[in-house]
Amino acid sequence: MIKQLPHFILIFFISCSQLLENGKGPFSFLPALDLLPNSQAPIVISSTPLNEQNAVSPYSEISILFSKDMNKTVTEGSFTLRNGSQSVDGLFSWIDKMMIFKPKSLLSQAGQYRYTILGSKAESSEGVNLIRDFSSNFYVNEDSQQPQLISSIPSTGAVGVQTNTSIQLNFSKAMKLASILTNISSSPQISFDYPASNLSADGKTVTLVLLAPLVFGTNYTLTVPASIQDSSGNTLIKSYQISFTIGNDFEKPNFTEISSSSVANFVATEYVNVSGFEKDDSFFLQFDEPILPSSMNDSVSFTPSVNYTIQDVSTNSTRFRLTPNSVLDIDTTYQIKVSDQIKDIQNNTLVKSYVYNIRVNGPRSRPLWVRGIYLDQANTLQINTGIIASIASDGGIGPNYNLETGTNGFYIYFCRGETLLTCDTTSSPRDLSLQLSSIDFDVRYDFGPNIGSPYLTLPLNVTPLPSDRFLIRTRLFSLAPNPSTYIFTVKGGKQGVIDQYGNYMKQDFNFRFRLNP
């Protein structure tokens, strides 16, 4: 039977083991006992190439000597070799505590190379990590200094830059022109004339020549990226951005006049109807400063749609004439919108959009009307066209009666005006003239005994004064007597009667009549 040890003896042995591990205390004269594993962290004793070494051979290998045996797989995974942002691939080998990395290809790129061991990953064979990361830099070429952008013309923040300016970039070292031209960028995009762009004699200043002028009022940002290289292949120390503004006029242009060939300036009358326009009017637009002519294209619109041409009619691009490609429709209201995308020559847009309602009802742009049908040239015997008129014949023998002897026949009285009631009194100028070839009369049987073959003669112009009236006579033949009823028609619409200005009746004019023998 084993007896339990006294507590003070157990405490004695525990204390002694701690004193032996620490190498301290009254038993330090005893030989050391390897009671616990070695927990000391490994360190990097040396490496090649040396830190900040220049002119390193492009065939070089990277070697790193550790203080302890290392876990090879894990340590290899903690290693990187980079040239700028580019990672370099290679193969690993070991000689005792030294790890060797052989790049798969030559270290041919200029600039800084950097190799790194991550302390959090690399570990000794006992599983103890490096205390901290280890890294070292080297350069393949002798010139390892990175260039900087010293100044530019225009400088960043510049205002009032000319549209045809060249751009100068001044560097601290001689640069590769091709590297600049292929890497530089801008927003909005600037088109450069690459063959005309050049480097100064010392290679430190590049002049970028524009292929097309820059746009007034536009803020441009030129980006000079860190990937641009000097003549030794070193990249810029950082990226640069240069922002500048073309022109110094930022005031929006004002719209000062819109008028037509027949209506004076109505720029202050938006949205309400403006009357008095002729269907063949041109329109004039005036601004308080020069306008970019190209911005006028498609910047004015009509509803209903109208195609037009626009012309600069001033010496300084402040006044433009807009001419519809076809006549406007009479007695129609059009909406004209002047867009705020119209720009001055420094790219400032119009203060706002403008909207106008115009009514095409000028003195020469009013519809035609049949004022009345008469049986005499003096306009004293008017037929009541609101009922079936009963008219006495003046020739022929039944069943074919006529309305044709002497001055008899139908006299159709036309006039031009906004309404039927006012067309005889408001037409001005009083210059109505119809195109005889457009006049189309028709007489046809309507109902009753269907006998006879009615027909009429070609219309004859018998226009009396005043000239705002236009009187046409036509004679009728072979009419059957009452109760046979006929319809007399004056053709209207755009295919009917028209005057010298292209005005027409809105619709056909019809009335019914009977003939008494």
Side-chain angles (χ1 to χ4, degrees), residues 43-252:
I43 61 172
V44 174
I45 296 176
S46 64
S47 68
T48 58
L50 300 176
N51 190 35
E52 299 299 331
Q53 181 177 343
N54 289 329
V56 173
S57 169
Y59 298 93
S60 295
E61 298 177 347
I62 314 299
S63 62
I64 301 174
L65 179 62
F66 297 95
S67 62
K68 303 185 70 174
D69 289 327
M70 302 297 289
N71 182 327
K72 295 180 175 59
T73 301
V74 174
T75 303
E76 290 172 3
S78 72
F79 176 86
T80 56
L81 173 61
R82 293 183 177 277
N83 173 236
S85 61
Q86 299 297 315
S87 180
V88 180
D89 293 331
L91 301 173
F92 293 94
S93 61
W94 289 81
I95 301 177
D96 197 17
K97 298 180 178 64
M98 179 183 292
M99 183 181 73
I100 301 170
F101 176 80
K102 182 177 182 179
K104 287 185 177 180
S105 58
L106 294 180
L107 303 179
S108 57
Q109 297 297 319
Q112 183 190 78
Y113 284 85
R114 183 181 184 87
Y115 58 91
T116 301
I117 294 286
L118 294 178
S120 60
K121 292 184 65 176
E123 62 181 34
S124 66
S125 56
E126 291 94 1
V128 181
N129 293 106
L130 288 177
I131 295 175
R132 64 183 64 86
D133 294 348
F134 172 81
S135 61
S136 182
N137 305 323
F138 67 91
Y139 304 87
V140 172
N141 56 323
E142 292 186 6
D143 176 11
S144 61
Q145 185 178 5
Q146 291 182 278
Q148 300 180 57
L149 180 64
I150 302 300
S151 62
S152 66
I153 301 175
S155 59
T156 190
V159 175
V161 178
Q162 297 298 310
T163 59
N164 60 349
T165 187
S166 294
I167 296 175
Q168 281 190 2
L169 303 174
N170 303 308
F171 297 92
S172 61
K173 298 178 64 181
M175 305 297 291
K176 289 181 180 178
L177 179 60
S179 177
I180 296 172
L181 298 181
T182 56
N183 285 279
I184 202 166
S185 63
S186 58
S187 179
Q189 184 175 355
I190 300 174
S191 297
F192 292 111
D193 186 351
Y194 292 119
S197 300
N198 59 86
L199 278 175
S200 59
D202 63 2
K204 294 182 178 180
T205 300
V206 62
T207 301
L208 302 172
V209 179
L210 302 182
L211 194 60
L214 302 179
V215 179
F216 270 118
T218 302
N219 181 264
Y220 289 90
T221 298
L222 191 70
T223 298
V224 185
S227 56
I228 287 176
Q229 297 178 349
D230 65 14
S231 58
S232 297
N234 298 297
T235 56
L236 275 180
I237 195 168
K238 66 174 184 176
S239 293
Y240 298 85
Q241 285 192 328
I242 304 164
S243 295
F244 54 90
T245 301
I246 305 302
N248 55 6
D249 173 16
F250 306 110
E251 189 168 337
K252 293 177 176 290

Side-chain angles (χ1 to χ4, degrees), residues 456-468:
L456 46 74
T457 60
L458 290 173
L460 176 67
N461 179 8
V462 290
T463 301
L465 294 175
S467 60
D468 61 322

Side-chain angles (χ1 to χ4, degrees), residues 212-438:
L214 302 179
V215 179
F216 270 118
T218 302
N219 181 264
Y220 289 90
T221 298
L222 191 70
T223 298
V224 185
S227 56
I228 287 176
Q229 297 178 349
D230 65 14
S231 58
S232 297
N234 298 297
T235 56
L236 275 180
I237 195 168
K238 66 174 184 176
S239 293
Y240 298 85
Q241 285 192 328
I242 304 164
S243 295
F244 54 90
T245 301
I246 305 302
N248 55 6
D249 173 16
F250 306 110
E251 189 168 337
K252 293 177 176 290
N254 288 299
F255 188 37
T256 59
E257 178 188 334
I258 179 171
S259 59
S260 79
S261 309
S262 54
V263 178
N265 186 13
F266 54 98
V267 71
T269 311
E270 285 193 82
Y271 296 103
V272 300
N273 284 357
V274 182
S275 298
F277 296 89
E278 301 291 357
K279 58 182 174 295
D280 56 355
D281 269 0
S282 291
F283 297 85
F284 297 89
L285 284 70
Q286 182 82 35
F287 304 89
D288 67 346
E289 62 174 295
I291 295 298
L292 192 65
S294 62
S295 74
M296 293 295 297
N297 296 332
D298 302 320
S299 290
V300 180
S301 61
F302 285 76
T303 304
S305 179
V306 174
N307 293 324
Y308 61 84
T309 57
I310 195 159
Q311 180 184 8
D312 186 350
V313 292
S314 61
T315 57
N316 60 351
S317 297
T318 58
R319 188 174 180 83
F320 296 84
R321 178 170 58 211
L322 186 154
T323 304
N325 294 341
S326 59
V327 296
L328 305 177
D329 287 333
I330 61 173
D331 200 28
T332 300
T333 298
Y334 289 85
Q335 185 172 89
I336 301 178
K337 181 176 181 181
V338 182
S339 170
D340 60 1
Q341 291 308 299
I342 292 174
K343 300 176 181 179
D344 64 18
I345 61 174
Q346 298 209 24
N347 216 37
N348 300 301
T349 56
L350 198 60
V351 170
K352 71 181 192 71
S353 294
Y354 295 80
V355 179
Y356 300 96
N357 296 321
I358 65 165
R359 186 166 182 79
V360 182
N361 61 349
R364 290 189 174 92
S365 300
R366 294 173 180 169
L368 302 180
W369 304 89
V370 173
R371 179 73 172 173
I373 305 292
Y374 295 84
L375 293 175
D376 65 329
Q377 186 171 339
N379 300 338
T380 59
L381 301 175
Q382 184 173 6
I383 298 173
N384 185 351
T385 58
I387 61 173
I388 299 178
S390 183
I391 302 170
S393 68
D394 63 359
I397 300 174
N400 295 316
Y401 295 94
N402 304 326
L403 190 64
E404 53 88 20
T405 60
T407 59
N408 289 337
F410 281 167
Y411 290 82
I412 298 90
Y413 169 15
F414 293 94
C415 62
R416 183 179 68 224
E418 285 198 76
T419 67
L420 174 61
L421 295 178
T422 63
C423 73
D424 193 27
T425 59
T426 62
S427 56
S428 177
R430 307 168 78 84
D431 59 354
L432 180 59
S433 178
L434 301 185
Q435 297 182 25
L436 287 177
S437 62
S438 71

Side-chain angles (χ1 to χ4, degrees), residues 443-451 454 484-487:
V443 60
R444 67 186 185 277
Y445 171 79
D446 188 22
F447 60 85
N450 186 7
I451 57 177
S484 292
T485 303
Y486 299 90
I487 295 178

